């Protein structure tokens, strides 16, 4: 790679780094506020004030540096210099955040330390998204945060605290390895884009380069797909672990104060999960990786689900939600259709302060037009197209996350195009809006499809059950063990099938939970096959993975196994286990042979 191309790649990486400083500062202020809430009952006001002042001062320094970068004459000629300046600022910020483990937590306050640790882990996760373009900046921030956190646990004393300290160092190592890999992918993607631009310029002069340009463009597209596939799996890993830890911590918390604080962490985790899901859904739709499962769906099935999902949020806001039933049979993908309609209803409730929301169907020839009406602010005519753009929001200049992320309608337009369901918007400023989707009618003689659902309320049959967890990530194993034991299960964790068999000894487990992608070429599919061959073919099992690639899902389907995607919600896992144990109990009572999950 020549020097000019290297400089252009470095320029874009540093520009992307500085472009995220506003988002970083906003999330930092929110996280600092949460940590203040945690520390307030046990730490002096002066200490909290000084720590908050230090955090705000560092963030102000970062914003000043960003302002200077955008006005500097040498920003494009010396990108490395400006990148390292922000890396130095990130190091100071890392020291400030890492010091919270000492400043905001007193001796022996294990619950407060656990909550602060979860907050710091969330803060570091956000920095992965914003600093991965320029690894020195991420290294400068993550090393002091995790280093000071590990040191705090070591100072706490005891074997378990020392083990947790070592675990945080291991998490740091994972973060650094992940960032290096993602940084290389980003640099490759930028380099390929720059090279393609040069090839297009050359193509104008020489038509003989057309084939080469096409090949390079396809390679750039494959690089982007690989990047998002890796992000889908790797970025979900720490979120999955954090969710398991927080849920287990909530189950063990005593008193309203502790439960309320853990609930705040869970809300932050769900916000990050929503952001990842929306971004990755858009990338998968753009890449053509979403498969449509068209079936005959009763309209009432989708409408009833909308009513049950949004009735409580509407009541809490003092709004009236009306969902009119329909006997129509639709030819569509029920999951994708619900995704579109739920975005419409969610937005309508968010931007309506008086009145209510109406969902209704109208037959129009061989189609049904499903309409969502609201009495909200309305949308100016010149903004009707822009609201379907990514991250574009009306009436939210402060980027309040409680009012959405600006990705819902962008996803809706892509799904509507994929399903070939025409989308229409009518709105009057001050009077409200109407979003509508035209869905084709199904053949009335066809039998409606019934979508499988996971029971949300089943008896608790988990107590005393022996669960095997196989995962190559130590944090995931520890988090899953904490969660299962909080439900009364016994748990054996392992990195592979051999370690699982050794840990079980002569015991026969009741269930296997295995990660799909393990170390090397090993997979959870092979682990389940090995354990079943040794312990019994009827042993129920489930795979858990952050990988949504079509090839991987095809392998799981061929193996006849069930898969659940990370970050995994604890309530879904508990419902699955209860459902499986209830089924096995019924089969034993009836004397029927057990089926494999």
């Amino acid at each position: 790679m020549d020097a000019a191309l290297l400089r252009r790649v470095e320029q874009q990486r540093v520009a992307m780094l500085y472009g995220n400083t506003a988002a970083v500062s906003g999330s930092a202020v929110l996280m600092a506020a949460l940590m203040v809430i945690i520390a307030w009952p046990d730490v002096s006001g002066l200490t909290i004030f000084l720590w908050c002042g230090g955090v705000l001062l560092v963030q102000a320094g970062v914003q000043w540096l960003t302002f200077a970068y955008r006005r500097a004459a040498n920003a494009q000629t010396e990108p490395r210099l400006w990148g390292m300046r922000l890396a130095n600022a990130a190091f100071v910020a890392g020291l400030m955040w890492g010091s919270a483990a000492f400043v905001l937590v007193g001796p022996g306050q294990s619950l407060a330390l656990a909550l602060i640790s979860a907050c710091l882990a969330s803060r570091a996760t956000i920095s992965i998204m914003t600093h991965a373009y320029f690894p020195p900046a991420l290294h400068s921030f993550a090393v002091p945060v995790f280093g000071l956190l590990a040191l705090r646990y070591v100072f706490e004393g005891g074997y378990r605290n020392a083990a947790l300290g070592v675990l945080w160092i291991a998490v740091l190592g994972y973060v650094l390895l992940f960032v290096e890999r993602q940084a290389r992918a980003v640099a490759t993607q930028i380099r390929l884009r720059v090279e393609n631009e040069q090839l297009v310029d050359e193509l104008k002069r020489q038509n003989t380069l057309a084939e080469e340009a096409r090949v390079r463009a396809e390679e750039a597209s494959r690089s982007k797909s690989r990047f998002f596939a890796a992000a889908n799996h790797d970025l979900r890993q720490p979120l999955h672990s954090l969710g398991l830890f927080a849920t287990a911590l909530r189950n063990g918390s005593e008193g309203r104060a502790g439960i309320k604080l853990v609930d705040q962490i869970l809300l932050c985790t769900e916000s990050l999960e929503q952001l990842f899901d929306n971004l990755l859904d858009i990338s998968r739709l753009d890449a053509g990786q979403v498969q449509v499962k068209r079936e005959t769906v009763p309209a009432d099935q989708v409408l009833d689900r909308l009513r049950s999902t949004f009735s409580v949020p509407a009541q809490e806001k003092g709004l009236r939600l009306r969902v009119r039933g329909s006997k129509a049979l639709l030819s569509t993908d029920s999951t994708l259709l619900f995704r579109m309609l739920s975005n419409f209803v969610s937005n309508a409730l968010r931007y309506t302060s008086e009145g209510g929301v109406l969902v209704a169907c109208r037959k129009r020839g061989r189609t049904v037009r499903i309409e969502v009406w609201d009495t909200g602010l309305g949308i100016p005519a010149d903004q009707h197209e822009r609201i379907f753009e990514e991250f574009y929001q009306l009436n939210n200049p402060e980027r309040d996350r409680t009012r959405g992320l600006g990705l819902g309608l962008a996803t809706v337009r892509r799904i509507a195009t994929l399903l070939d369901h025409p989308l229409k918007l009518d709105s009057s400023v001050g009077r409200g809006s109407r979003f509508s989707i035209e869905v084709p009618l199904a053949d009335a003689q066809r039998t409606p499809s019934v979508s499988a659902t996971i029971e949300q309320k089943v008896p608790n049959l988990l107590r005393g059950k022996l669960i095997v967890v196989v995962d190559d990530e130590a944090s995931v194993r520890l988090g899953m063990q904490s969660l299962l034991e909080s439900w009364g299960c016994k748990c054996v964790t392992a990195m592979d099938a051999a370690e699982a068999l050794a840990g079980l000894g002569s015991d026969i487990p009741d269930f296997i939970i295995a990660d799909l992608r393990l170390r090397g070429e090993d997979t959870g599919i092979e682990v389940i096959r090995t354990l079943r061959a040794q312990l019994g073919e009827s042993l129920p099992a489930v795979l858990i993975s952050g990988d949504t690639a079509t090839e991987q899902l095809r392998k799981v389907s061929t193996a006849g196994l069930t898969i659940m995607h990370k970050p995994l919600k604890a309530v879904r896992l508990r419902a699955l286990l209860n459902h499986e144990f209830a089924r096995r109990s019924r089969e034993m009572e009836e004397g029927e042979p057990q089926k494999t999950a």
Side-chain angles (χ1 to χ4, degrees):
M1 189 185 308
D2 59 73
L5 186 57
L6 277 172
R7 187 182 303 109
R8 292 190 62 183
V9 171
E10 197 77 354
Q11 287 171 355
Q12 294 194 31
R13 291 173 66 183
V14 173
M16 295 165 75
L17 177 66
Y18 275 92
N20 286 312
T21 55
V24 172
S25 295
S27 63
V29 171
L30 292 175
M31 191 60 68
L34 177 58
M35 293 170 67
V36 166
I37 294 174
I38 295 171
W40 189 263
D42 304 303
V43 180
S44 70
L46 178 60
T47 301
I48 293 176
F49 176 78
L50 291 175
W51 182 82
C52 288
V55 170
L56 293 176
L57 187 61
V58 170
Q59 296 305 320
V62 170
Q63 293 305 313
W64 177 86
L65 189 59
T66 302
F67 177 77
Y69 165 80
R70 291 171 179 170
R71 296 177 61 88
N74 65 337
Q76 298 302 314
T77 58
E78 299 180 354
R80 185 75 181 180
L81 172 64
W82 284 95
M84 293 308 299
R85 287 175 177 174
L86 192 56
N88 292 334
F91 178 75
V92 177
L95 289 176
M96 284 300 307
W97 284 95
S99 68
F102 293 87
V103 175
L104 301 184
V105 182
Q109 296 178 359
S110 56
L111 176 59
L113 180 57
L115 294 172
I116 292 295
S117 300
C119 291
L120 292 176
S122 299
R123 180 69 184 84
T125 301
I126 295 172
S127 71
I128 293 175
M129 297 176 57
T130 57
H131 287 34
Y133 311 110
F134 192 76
L138 191 280
H139 296 168
S140 298
F141 182 84
V143 169
V145 170
F146 286 106
L148 290 173
L149 187 56
L151 194 61
R152 179 64 174 84
Y153 271 97
V154 172
F155 283 172
E156 194 72 4
Y159 172 77
R160 292 184 178 178
N161 287 323
L164 287 173
V166 174
L167 175 61
W168 284 118
I169 295 298
V171 172
L172 172 61
Y174 170 83
V175 168
L176 297 182
L177 288 175
F178 168 77
V179 169
E180 286 295 333
R181 183 169 61 182
Q182 297 304 90
R184 286 195 297 269
V186 170
T188 300
Q189 187 177 356
I190 294 173
R191 177 179 60 81
L192 289 171
R193 184 170 65 248
V194 172
E195 289 178 347
N196 284 337
E197 292 173 356
Q198 294 175 346
L199 285 174
V200 170
D201 292 337
E202 185 68 13
L203 183 62
K204 295 177 181 179
R205 297 187 296 270
Q206 299 179 5
N207 290 333
T208 57
L209 297 178
E211 183 62 21
E212 184 179 356
R214 183 186 66 81
V215 171
R216 287 181 177 270
E218 290 177 353
E219 178 59 28
S221 178
R222 285 193 293 269
S223 176
K224 177 182 177 182
S225 297
R226 289 193 296 268
F227 170 73
F228 278 113
N232 190 19
H233 179 268
D234 293 340
L235 284 177
R236 287 173 184 262
Q237 284 286 85
L239 270 182
H240 176 60
S241 302
L242 181 60
L244 295 176
F245 277 125
T247 304
L249 186 59
R250 188 185 192 281
N251 293 339
S253 296
E254 298 181 358
R256 292 186 177 180
I259 293 176
K260 185 176 181 181
L261 292 175
V262 178
D263 285 341
Q264 292 296 319
I265 296 175
L266 288 170
L267 287 174
C268 294
T269 305
E270 289 177 3
S271 177
L272 289 172
E273 290 173 6
Q274 181 185 7
L275 175 59
F276 284 135
D277 288 341
N278 287 331
L279 288 172
L280 293 168
D281 282 347
I282 286 178
S283 71
R284 291 176 63 227
L285 286 165
D286 286 343
Q289 295 179 352
V290 176
Q291 300 297 319
V292 175
K293 298 179 181 178
R294 205 175 294 274
E295 56 187 358
T296 300
V297 181
D300 272 344
Q301 177 180 314
V302 180
L303 297 174
D304 289 344
R305 188 177 173 190
L306 285 172
R307 185 184 295 108
S308 63
T309 301
F310 294 102
S311 292
V312 174
Q315 292 175 2
E316 290 176 347
K317 198 173 179 183
L319 301 175
R320 183 182 180 188
L321 173 64
R322 292 179 294 165
V323 181
R324 294 178 180 172
S326 172
K327 301 301 182 183
L329 296 178
L330 309 176
S331 177
T332 185
D333 185 311
S334 60
T335 301
L336 295 178
L337 177 62
F338 176 78
R339 181 72 180 274
M340 289 192 291
L341 293 174
S342 63
N343 268 300
F344 289 154
V345 176
S346 176
N347 280 348
L349 293 174
R350 185 178 294 124
Y351 292 103
T352 301
S353 56
E354 295 181 356
V357 176
L358 169 66
V359 182
C361 299
R362 295 185 182 184
K363 272 193 176 183
R364 301 180 66 86
R366 293 298 304 162
T367 65
V368 172
R369 188 163 73 182
I370 306 177
E371 301 177 340
V372 178
W373 297 69
D374 67 63
T375 57
L377 301 174
I379 304 169
D382 61 347
Q383 302 293 315
H384 283 194
E385 286 297 319
R386 293 208 63 191
I387 62 171
F388 291 97
E389 298 176 3
E390 295 88 346
F391 296 106
Y392 185 79
Q393 290 179 293
L394 290 174
N395 306 307
N396 191 15
E398 66 277 11
R399 301 298 297 175
D400 181 0
R401 292 193 178 187
T402 62
R403 302 179 67 179
L405 299 165
L407 292 172
L409 293 180
T411 304
V412 165
R413 168 169 279 183
R414 286 167 168 82
I415 296 176
T417 301
L418 179 66
L419 292 176
D420 194 21
H421 292 353
L423 181 64
K424 186 178 180 182
L425 165 63
D426 296 295
S427 184
S428 298
V429 176
R431 300 181 61 183
S433 304
R434 179 187 66 181
F435 289 86
S436 61
I437 305 171
E438 288 194 14
V439 184
L441 285 167
D443 186 347
Q445 296 181 353
R446 295 182 61 185
T447 303
S449 302
V450 179
S451 300
T453 59
I454 297 177
E455 294 181 356
Q456 297 298 322
K457 294 184 178 180
V458 291
N460 182 10
L461 304 175
L462 275 62
R463 187 167 299 279
K465 300 295 184 182
L466 177 59
I467 313 292
V468 176
V469 176
V470 181
D471 199 293
D472 59 334
E473 295 288 341
S475 60
V476 174
R477 294 197 302 271
L478 182 58
M480 188 68 77
Q481 181 177 6
S482 300
L483 179 64
L484 292 171
E485 289 179 350
S486 73
W487 292 340
C489 300
K490 293 180 287 185
C491 186
V492 172
T493 64
M495 294 179 58
D496 52 34
E499 188 175 332
L501 290 170
L504 285 168
S506 60
D507 294 331
I508 303 297
D510 297 290
F511 203 91
I512 304 170
I513 300 174
D515 190 21
L516 176 59
R517 289 185 7 180
L518 300 171
R519 291 191 177 179
E521 299 297 324
D522 201 8
T523 68
I525 298 174
E526 295 299 326
V527 166
I528 292 173
R529 286 174 179 168
T530 301
L531 293 180
R532 283 178 170 174
Q534 296 289 328
L535 304 174
E537 291 295 335
S538 64
L539 192 60
V542 67
L543 290 166
I544 296 178
S545 178
D547 199 333
T548 56
T550 304
E551 181 181 353
Q552 296 292 343
L553 297 181
R554 189 180 297 114
K555 291 179 181 178
V556 174
S557 178
T558 302
L561 295 170
T562 301
I563 188 169
M564 303 179 77
H565 289 287
K566 299 177 182 178
L568 178 63
K569 292 187 180 298
V571 64
R572 295 193 65 225
L573 177 61
R574 184 167 186 168
L576 174 67
L577 293 174
N578 272 320
H579 180 79
E580 176 62 26
F581 294 145
R583 181 186 64 79
R584 287 164 60 85
S585 177
R586 289 195 303 271
E587 290 176 351
M588 292 178 65
E589 292 175 358
E590 297 169 1
E592 297 179 0
Q594 297 179 1
K595 299 178 182 179
T596 301

